[in-house]
Amino acid sequence: MPHKLIRIERVENDRPGRPVMIAVAGDSAAGKTTLTAGLAEALGPDRVTTICVDDYHRYDRRERKGLPFTALHPDCNYVEIIEQHLQLLATGRPILKPVYDHHTGELTRPELVEPHEFVIVEGLLPLHTRLTRACFDISIYLDPPEEVRRQWKVKRDTEKRGYQTEAVLAELERREPESAEFIRPQRAFADIVVRFAPIAGRHDPPGTPLSAELLLRPTMNHPDLSRVLAGNEQRAIHLKLTRDADGRPVDTLHIHGYVPREESLVVEKAIWERLGVDAGEVPLTLGNLGGGVRSEPLAITQLLLLSHLLDPNR
Amino acid sequence: MPHKLIRIERVENDRPGRPVMIAVAGDSAAGKTTLTAGLAEALGPDRVTTICVDDYHRYDRRERKGLPFTALHPDCNYVEIIEQHLQLLATGRPILKPVYDHHTGELTRPELVEPHEFVIVEGLLPLHTRLTRACFDISIYLDPPEEVRRQWKVKRDTEKRGYQTEAVLAELERREPESAEFIRPQRAFADIVVRFAPIAGRHDPPGTPLSAELLLRPTMNHPDLSRVLAGNEQRAIHLKLTRDADGRPVDTLHIHGYVPREESLVVEKAIWERLGVDAGEVPLTLGNLGGGVRSEPLAITQLLLLSHLLDPNR
C-alpha cells in the first residue's frame, strides 16, 4: 500500500521544507491555469512551484495520431512516473520533469523543478490514482458545465494554439468517452469542486460575469465562513447545506456574478483580513481572467483557496 | 546520511525484483561502452538495462560554450537527479531518464527505463558521490594509460561523432584539469580497476592486442581464481598480490595480449565452466572490439565480470 506509506512519510516529515501540495484537476480548458495563475501570483513566485501533469504524455502529437486513444487516457501518460514525481515533490525533493510543448505537440528537453513552500499541480489526471491523491494537502476539481467549457476550449485553442474551430469541436467529440471514464470521476476525490456557470433561470445582460458555486467537502477543515458572511446581506455570497449527487453532505457556497463589484469587495476584504498573515490590501492579481477582464466570483474563490493555503491549522 | 538509508533499504529489499547494479566508470573514450556492450550481449537484452549517466548533462553543447567548465564537471550535470534515479533503479523502480544526443549535442525527449535483473550504469561520474556509490553491487573503473585513451578518443570522435582531430586534442587539453579533479578520483572507489595497455619493456609486433591488468580490491568477494589458474602454465593469465598506489593490498590479475589465442581459450573455457549456470559455450560476443576485431584479454575480463554477476553468493 504505497499510498499509505507516502501518507505516513508526509505526516512524519511535517516540518519546514515539506511543501503544501495542491491539486487543480479538470478537463481541458476547464479554467485550471486561470485559477492557478492568480493563486501563484498572490503567493509570489518565490513561494510557489507550479507544474502541469499533462507534461507526462507518453506519446507526442504525431505518435498519438496512430493510437486508439486520446491524450486523456491514462495509457497515454506516464502515470507511474507522475506518482513517483509527486511523491518526490511531496517529500521535498527535486524532480527532472518532462516537458510537452503544447504549441508544437512535441516532447522536449526535461527541466529541473525544485519544490517551494507551495506546489500547485494542475492538469488532466492529478487525482487519477490513490497514490497521486495521497500526495496532496488540498485538491480542487474544476467543473464548469460542458457548454461553458466548450466555448472556453474553442476560444483558447483557436486563439492560442493555432487550431481551427471545427478541429477543436471534433476533438472534443472524440475525447468525450475518455472524459467520462477518466477525467470526471476525479471530481469525487476533490476537497473543493468549483463550478463557474450562469445561474439557471436568470436572464442577466450579456457581459455579466459567471457566478461560482463551490462544493466544500468535509474531507478537510474549511475556514469558518459563517463569521465572514455574517456581516453581508447574503447577496454576493451565501452558504447552503446540501447533498452532492452521490448523497454525501456538502456545504455549497454560492458567489454571484451579477452582484455589483462594491458588494463583492466587502466580502473579499473580510476574507482577506481574516487571513491575518501580514495581509495588507487584497491582491489585484486575484480575479484576473486575462485581457484586462475581471471576475469577482473568481477573486473570491481564489481568496478562499488562499485562506486554506495560508491557514497554519490546515 | 541518505547513503546509509539506501544501503539499508537495498539489503532489506534483497529479493527477486531488486536488480544487481553495476557501475562502469571512466574518462571519455576509456572503453566503457565496449566493455559494457559485450557484457550486456552475453547476459541477454531481456535481463539487462544499460544507462549512461552522461545523459544527465545540465546544459547542451551550445550552452556549454559560454560556461567556464566542461561536461566533466559535476556542476555541468544534474548530480542530485543521478543520485535519485540510481536509488530508484536500485530499489527496482522505473525512471524517466533524460537523453543527451551525442551527435547533435542537444538534450531531447526523455525515455522510460525499467530496471531488469541487471542494471549497468556507465559514464563519466557514476561513482562521484557517496550516495551514488551506495547504489552499486559492483563497481568498475576503466583506467587505460592516457596515451592509449587519447588514441581511442581521437579515433572515435573523428569517425563516429564528426569532429576534427585538432578539435578533439584541444578538448582533451581543456578537460584535463577536470579529469584530474573529478573523473580519476573515482578509481579509488572501484571494486575492480581495468587497465588495457601494452606491456612495458616488450616489443611486440604491431597488431598485438593490448594486455589487461585487473586490480581486484578486497572490497568485494572475488571468485577463487587459484583453481581456475591452477591448470594453466601462468602465461595467458596470472595473479599477483601487490599494493595499490595508495598502499592498500590488492590482487592484480594480468592477462597477456601476446599469448596465442588457443591458450587464452583454455582459460576462458575454464572460467566459463565454473559459472555453472547452464553455461553452454563461451559466448562469441565476448572480446568484441567492433569491426570484427577480437581481444582475448577483453574476453577474459568480461568473463570474470560475468562470473561476478552470475555468482549467487555475490
Side-chain angles (χ1 to χ4, degrees):
Chain A
M1 288 193 299
H3 66 286
K4 286 282 176 207
L5 293 179
I6 187 77
R7 282 210 185 275
I8 291 163
E9 183 177 1
R10 290 179 59 237
V11 172
E12 281 192 337
N13 288 324
D14 203 355
R15 47 172 166 73
R18 192 187 75 66
V20 178
M21 298 281 291
I22 306 121
V24 180
D27 213 332
S28 181
K32 301 182 292 288
T33 307
T34 305
L35 182 76
T36 300
L39 279 182
E41 216 174 323
L43 289 165
D46 293 347
R47 300 177 75 188
V48 180
T49 302
T50 303
I51 71 162
C52 178
V53 285
D54 304 349
D55 279 319
Y56 290 77
H57 285 335
R58 193 182 280 267
Y59 309 103
D60 64 19
R61 193 179 291 154
R62 194 180 49 74
E63 292 163 340
R64 286 203 302 273
K65 283 201 202 306
L67 294 172
F69 42 67
T70 77
L72 271 56
H73 200 292
D75 288 353
C76 200
N77 294 275
Y78 289 120
V79 171
E80 196 177 355
I81 300 294
I82 294 175
E83 291 177 335
Q84 182 184 95
H85 284 194
L86 291 181
Q87 290 176 78
L88 288 163
L89 292 170
T91 51
R93 299 181 176 99
I95 57 168
L96 196 58
K97 188 186 68 61
V99 174
Y100 178 76
D101 183 331
H102 276 287
H103 206 78
T104 63
E106 285 175 1
L107 290 155
T108 61
R109 158 185 186 163
E111 63 188 15
L112 190 74
V113 174
E114 305 201 61
H116 291 165
E117 188 181 346
F118 301 96
V119 175
I120 305 181
V121 179
E122 58 151 308
L124 294 166
L125 295 167
L127 301 175
H128 177 61
T129 77
R130 184 172 259 190
L131 189 46
T132 62
R133 297 194 291 271
C135 295
F136 293 108
D137 297 278
I138 303 179
S139 54
I140 299 156
Y141 182 82
L142 285 169
D143 186 35
E146 277 295 280
E147 63 275 17
V148 170
R149 185 174 76 86
R150 184 177 302 256
Q151 288 167 23
W152 288 349
K153 183 158 173 71
V154 168
K155 187 170 155 60
R156 182 196 63 189
D157 287 0
T158 55
E159 289 178 6
K160 294 199 183 151
R161 298 189 183 171
Y163 286 90
Q164 300 297 313
T165 301
E166 294 68 33
V168 181
L169 292 174
E171 183 65 15
L172 273 166
E173 191 79 18
R174 207 164 80 86
R175 288 180 171 203
E176 169 51 28
E178 291 171 20
S179 285
E181 189 173 355
F182 303 112
I183 309 301
R184 298 205 284 269
Q186 296 177 100
R187 182 186 184 280
F189 301 108
D191 300 308
I192 301 174
V193 178
V194 180
R195 186 180 187 86
F196 283 94
I199 298 177
R202 282 186 64 97
H203 300 283
D204 290 317
T208 304
L210 293 175
S211 295
E213 184 186 280
L214 276 67
L215 245 61
L216 308 176
R217 291 231 173 81
T219 45
M220 61 177 292
N221 283 326
H222 294 284
D224 183 1
L225 288 167
S226 56
R227 282 180 301 168
V228 171
L229 302 180
N232 112 66
E233 68 281 37
Q234 310 267 321
R235 197 166 101 125
I237 177 167
H238 62 84
L239 192 66
K240 203 170 143 188
L241 182 63
T242 51
R243 285 188 189 280
D244 194 5
D246 61 5
R248 287 188 292 174
V250 287
D251 262 328
T252 308
L253 186 72
H254 292 269
I255 307 166
H256 291 169
Y258 57 82
V259 168
R261 190 174 171 208
E262 299 68 43
E263 285 185 36
S264 296
L265 280 177
V266 173
V267 177
E268 289 172 30
K269 237 181 135 181
I271 300 173
W272 188 242
E273 275 166 9
R274 288 195 186 265
L275 290 182
V277 283
D278 185 21
E281 288 295 301
V282 178
L284 283 170
T285 54
L286 299 180
N288 183 4
L289 286 177
V293 185
R294 276 191 62 81
S295 154
E296 299 313 323
L298 174 62
I300 294 177
T301 301
Q302 288 168 326
L303 265 172
L304 283 170
L305 293 173
L306 274 182
S307 81
H308 272 292
L309 298 180
L310 298 172
D311 178 4
N313 305 316
R314 180 181 16 84
Chain B
M1 288 191 296
H3 65 286
K4 287 282 176 207
L5 293 180
I6 186 75
R7 281 209 187 275
I8 291 164
E9 184 177 359
R10 289 179 61 236
V11 173
E12 281 191 337
N13 288 322
D14 201 355
R15 46 170 167 73
R18 192 187 77 63
V20 179
M21 299 281 291
I22 305 122
V24 180
D27 213 332
S28 182
K32 302 183 291 289
T33 307
T34 304
L35 182 75
T36 300
L39 279 183
E41 219 174 322
L43 289 165
D46 294 348
R47 301 177 74 187
V48 181
T49 302
T50 304
I51 72 162
C52 178
V53 286
D54 303 350
D55 279 318
Y56 291 78
H57 286 333
R58 193 183 280 267
Y59 309 103
D60 64 18
R61 193 178 292 155
R62 194 181 48 75
E63 291 163 341
R64 285 203 303 274
K65 285 201 201 302
L67 293 173
F69 42 68
T70 76
L72 270 56
H73 200 293
D75 289 353
C76 199
N77 293 276
Y78 288 120
V79 172
E80 197 177 356
I81 300 293
I82 295 176
E83 290 178 334
Q84 182 184 95
H85 284 195
L86 291 181
Q87 289 176 79
L88 288 164
L89 291 171
T91 51
R93 298 179 176 99
I95 57 167
L96 197 58
K97 188 187 68 62
V99 174
Y100 177 76
D101 183 331
H102 275 288
H103 207 78
T104 63
E106 285 175 359
L107 290 155
T108 61
R109 158 186 187 165
E111 63 189 13
L112 190 73
V113 174
E114 306 202 61
H116 291 166
E117 189 181 345
F118 300 96
V119 175
I120 306 180
V121 179
E122 58 152 310
L124 294 166
L125 294 167
L127 301 175
H128 177 61
T129 77
R130 185 174 260 191
L131 189 47
T132 63
R133 296 193 292 269
C135 294
F136 292 107
D137 297 278
I138 302 179
S139 54
I140 300 156
Y141 182 83
L142 285 169
D143 186 35
E146 278 296 281
E147 63 275 17
V148 170
R149 185 173 76 85
R150 183 177 303 254
Q151 288 167 24
W152 289 349
K153 186 161 170 67
V154 168
K155 186 170 156 61
R156 182 195 64 188
D157 287 1
T158 55
E159 289 178 6
K160 294 197 184 154
R161 299 188 182 172
Y163 287 90
Q164 300 296 315
T165 301
E166 295 67 34
V168 181
L169 292 174
E171 184 64 16
L172 273 165
E173 191 79 17
R174 207 165 79 87
R175 288 180 170 202
E176 169 50 29
E178 291 172 19
S179 285
E181 188 173 356
F182 304 112
I183 309 301
R184 298 204 285 269
Q186 295 178 103
R187 182 184 182 281
F189 300 109
D191 300 307
I192 301 175
V193 178
V194 180
R195 186 179 186 87
F196 283 94
I199 299 177
R202 281 188 62 98
H203 300 285
D204 290 316
T208 302
L210 293 175
S211 295
E213 183 186 280
L214 275 68
L215 246 62
L216 307 177
R217 291 229 173 82
T219 45
M220 61 176 294
N221 282 325
H222 294 285
D224 183 0
L225 289 167
S226 55
R227 282 180 298 167
V228 172
L229 301 180
N232 112 67
E233 69 280 38
Q234 310 265 324
R235 198 165 101 126
I237 177 167
H238 62 85
L239 192 67
K240 202 169 144 188
L241 182 63
T242 51
R243 284 188 190 282
D244 194 5
D246 61 6
R248 287 189 291 173
V250 287
D251 261 326
T252 307
L253 186 72
H254 291 269
I255 307 166
H256 292 170
Y258 58 82
V259 169
R261 192 177 170 209
E262 299 67 43
E263 284 185 39
S264 297
L265 280 177
V266 173
V267 177
E268 288 173 31
K269 238 181 136 182
I271 300 172
W272 188 242
E273 275 165 10
R274 286 194 188 266
L275 290 182
V277 284
D278 185 22
E281 288 294 300
V282 178
L284 283 170
T285 53
L286 300 180
N288 184 4
L289 286 177
V293 184
R294 277 191 63 78
S295 155
E296 300 312 322
L298 174 62
I300 293 176
T301 302
Q302 287 168 326
L303 266 173
L304 284 170
L305 294 174
L306 273 183
S307 81
H308 272 293
L309 298 180
L310 298 172
D311 178 5
N313 305 315
R314 183 186 8 87

